[in-house]
Amino acid sequence: MNPDELTRRFFLGCGTATAAALSVSTSRAESPELARVLSKLEPYFTPPAEFQDVSRGTPLPHQLSAAKKREVGMHRDTWKLEVVSDPDNPATLGKPLAKKEGTALDFAALLALGKTNAVRFAKVMTCLNIGCPLGMGIWEGVPLRDVLWLTQPKANLRRVFYHGYHNDDPKQLFRSSLPVGRVLEDPDDLPPVILCYKLNGEWLDSERGGPVRIVVPEAYGFKSVKWLTTVTLSNLAHANDTYANGNNDIDSPLKTFAATFQLPTEIRPNAPIPITGYAQVGVSGLSKVQVWIHPLGKPWPEDDPYFAKAPWTDATILGPPQQWGGKLPGNAIPKDVLGFEAGQPKAWPMRLAKAHWAVLLPGLPAGEYVLRCRTIDAKKQVQPMPRPFKKSGRCDIEEVKIIVAA
Ligand SMILES: Nc1nc2c(c(=O)[nH]1)N[C@H]1C(S)=C(S)[C@@H](COP(=O)(O)O)O[C@H]1N2
Ligand SMILES: [Mo]
């Protein structure tokens, strides 16, 4: 990034910054310390090949041979989606999409729906059990409800289950589910649940779950099942997700939290300390990122486990980047991305996405310290609240040891 771009992003910060705060930002943005760390920021969107992979399976489905992938439908030419009634809790369907009836949906039919109905939206993919997001992308596909309606459901439909190719081994089944209402309607301005076939403008590759995966905008990764083969429409009244094993809270929408990027390795005494990081912006949005440095080992009152009484310093939330990264075609935001207009976000920071932040802290005497960062969401809830439990998604206040030495 060039220095003007850095200054501009730093400047723009959150739209609510006051004049006084901005003048502080300007002088900080000009500091060489901050410029150096800002120039090393990750791109906003992740190139598809650089997403982290946490898929299960032996062998991993995306590592099967090209011939095997073709055979089992993990190729655009052979992919078939079944949308059928649950034999144990039947939904009443006029026309199931089933292989044996020759009515399963193929890729050409999905794309034909996409011609008029495709949607695109930005979303960060995060595993409920891993601290950092796996990647940030623009996901594109057909709303699942458009395919669901092809089955002419009449009644007795309460839950939608779905799973992907799992080596024909029941033990490897990875299944997730949603209440039918979430599939049919989008509450709270959320994008629809989609049958996704493109990421950052390119066909969804095999490692990311191609040819087709589910993407649930507001959910953690386990709801976004890869190598999709089967949707089961059911009258069961509750979830049956594979991820319910392992004590996971499977109804948890994305949380807001902050984390730092790598800190400078050498911090000299009394030299200003530049810090950058990202925030995941969950369903409750993001209003602030704050940091606090405390001497290592110095006690903190036990009745304040979330450090609410600490002297936190506001960081600057960086504005939208000029270069979005992610290997987007033509290096630009594609047309008609939900939440964007003329290639620019309508609101910032964007929900269900990432935001970058930076701050320059005053120097410290030699010693060992703990750096903490936290978010305050758009509803004024302070991390790790309002949902501090680990098994509903990571949101612990990050603690990083820093050493200031001559
Ligand atoms: N078929 C299938 N889909 C899956 C999984 C899997 O193991 N098999 N893992 C899930 C989990 S736990 C996560 S966090 C996301 C990760 O998405 P990614 O591998 O594209 O980063 O995929 C989800 N979809
Ligand atoms: Mo996950």
Side-chain angles (χ1 to χ4, degrees):
M1 269 191 251
N2 69 48
D4 289 352
E5 151 73 348
L6 294 174
T7 310
R8 190 191 63 85
R9 267 192 91 188
F10 194 79
F11 230 140
L12 277 184
C14 9
T16 54
T18 62
L22 276 178
S23 68
V24 175
S25 304
T26 319
S27 57
R28 285 180 185 176
E30 281 160 5
S31 90
E33 294 92 342
L34 206 51
R36 205 176 321 113
V37 291
L38 282 171
S39 71
K40 292 191 194 128
L41 270 190
E42 61 171 14
Y44 186 79
F45 287 113
T46 312
E50 286 168 33
F51 271 65
Q52 316 262 347
D53 184 38
V54 295
S55 30
R56 310 144 177 232
T58 332
L60 284 169
H62 62 81
Q63 287 172 358
L64 293 168
S65 71
K68 182 73 183 171
K69 283 183 186 171
R70 249 178 202 280
E71 181 198 319
V72 301
M74 285 179 60
H75 188 284
R76 291 191 293 277
D77 293 347
T78 56
W79 180 77
K80 287 256 161 74
L81 179 70
E82 293 202 292
V83 187
V84 292
S85 175
D86 174 6
D88 298 326
N89 302 278
T92 312
L93 307 182
K95 187 191 169 222
L97 307 184
K99 284 183 187 169
K100 64 175 191 310
E101 286 160 41
T103 51
L105 190 81
D106 64 16
F107 198 75
L110 182 65
L111 283 195
L113 284 171
K115 265 208 163 126
T116 44
N117 299 10
V119 292
R120 308 178 175 101
F121 54 83
K123 169 191 171 49
V124 61
M125 188 62 73
T126 303
C127 179
L128 181 137
N129 280 308
I130 300 179
C132 62
L134 304 164
M136 174 73 211
I138 294 178
W139 308 85
E140 174 176 342
V142 170
L144 175 56
R145 56 175 159 265
D146 296 342
V147 171
L148 188 153
W149 282 123
L150 296 179
T151 68
Q152 301 169 7
K154 308 274 188 265
N156 305 315
L157 174 50
R158 290 189 280 178
R159 200 146 188 111
V160 180
F161 302 146
Y162 42 90
H163 68 260
Y165 179 70
H166 51 84
N167 295 311
D168 301 315
D169 173 3
K171 284 201 216 91
Q172 297 186 29
L173 180 80
F174 190 88
R175 175 176 58 199
S176 194
S177 72
L178 289 168
V180 69
R182 174 61 189 101
V183 175
L184 298 181
E185 193 173 9
D186 307 322
D188 195 21
D189 266 342
L190 291 171
V193 175
I194 59 169
L195 297 167
C196 169
Y197 48 78
K198 281 192 174 179
L199 171 60
N200 294 358
E202 301 293 332
W203 294 123
L204 189 68
D205 66 34
S206 191
E207 187 178 305
R208 289 283 68 64
V212 181
R213 81 185 290 177
I214 296 274
V215 175
V216 181
E218 72 280 20
Y220 283 97
F222 69 92
K223 289 278 180 195
S224 295
V225 164
K226 297 156 82 168
W227 316 297
L228 185 71
T229 60
T230 312
V231 175
T232 306
L233 303 179
S234 176
N235 200 28
L236 196 66
H238 60 79
N240 65 354
D241 296 25
T242 304
Y243 229 62
N245 304 328
N247 197 26
N248 296 306
D249 175 352
I250 54 163
D251 291 320
S252 175
L254 270 184
K255 297 180 182 181
T256 297
F257 74 87
T260 52
F261 289 130
Q262 206 146 16
L263 293 166
T265 41
E266 273 173 37
I267 301 178
R268 279 173 296 106
N270 308 312
I273 306 170
I275 301 166
T276 55
Y278 65 87
Q280 172 170 292
V281 187
V283 282
S284 290
L286 175 69
S287 70
K288 261 186 191 185
V289 174
Q290 298 183 317
V291 298
W292 167 49
I293 295 183
H294 190 63
L296 183 72
K298 190 175 166 190
W300 192 258
E302 268 174 40
D303 64 357
D304 184 21
Y306 302 146
F307 314 104
K309 293 175 192 142
W312 294 89
T313 300
D314 289 356
T316 300
I317 297 170
L318 305 189
Q322 225 152 39
Q323 299 294 326
W324 290 93
K327 293 226 159 76
L328 294 171
N331 231 339
I333 301 293
K335 272 178 112 175
D336 301 326
V337 178
L338 296 175
F340 284 77
E341 209 169 271
Q344 286 303 312
K346 288 192 211 163
W348 194 266
M350 297 190 291
R351 267 197 325 170
L352 316 177
K354 267 191 186 181
H356 292 149
W357 55 268
V359 63
L360 188 65
L361 291 177
L364 292 165
E368 296 189 328
Y369 301 86
V370 178
L371 166 72
R372 293 186 175 86
C373 61
R374 69 176 187 184
T375 50
I376 301 177
D377 71 27
K379 297 186 171 155
K380 305 282 177 278
Q381 302 167 116
V382 183
Q383 193 188 333
M385 296 304 275
R387 294 181 289 132
F389 308 125
K390 257 196 174 56
K391 295 307 279 184
S392 54
R394 177 223 125 105
C395 65
D396 290 346
I397 294 175
E398 188 192 77
E399 302 186 349
V400 187
K401 182 173 161 179
I402 57 180
I403 299 171
V404 180

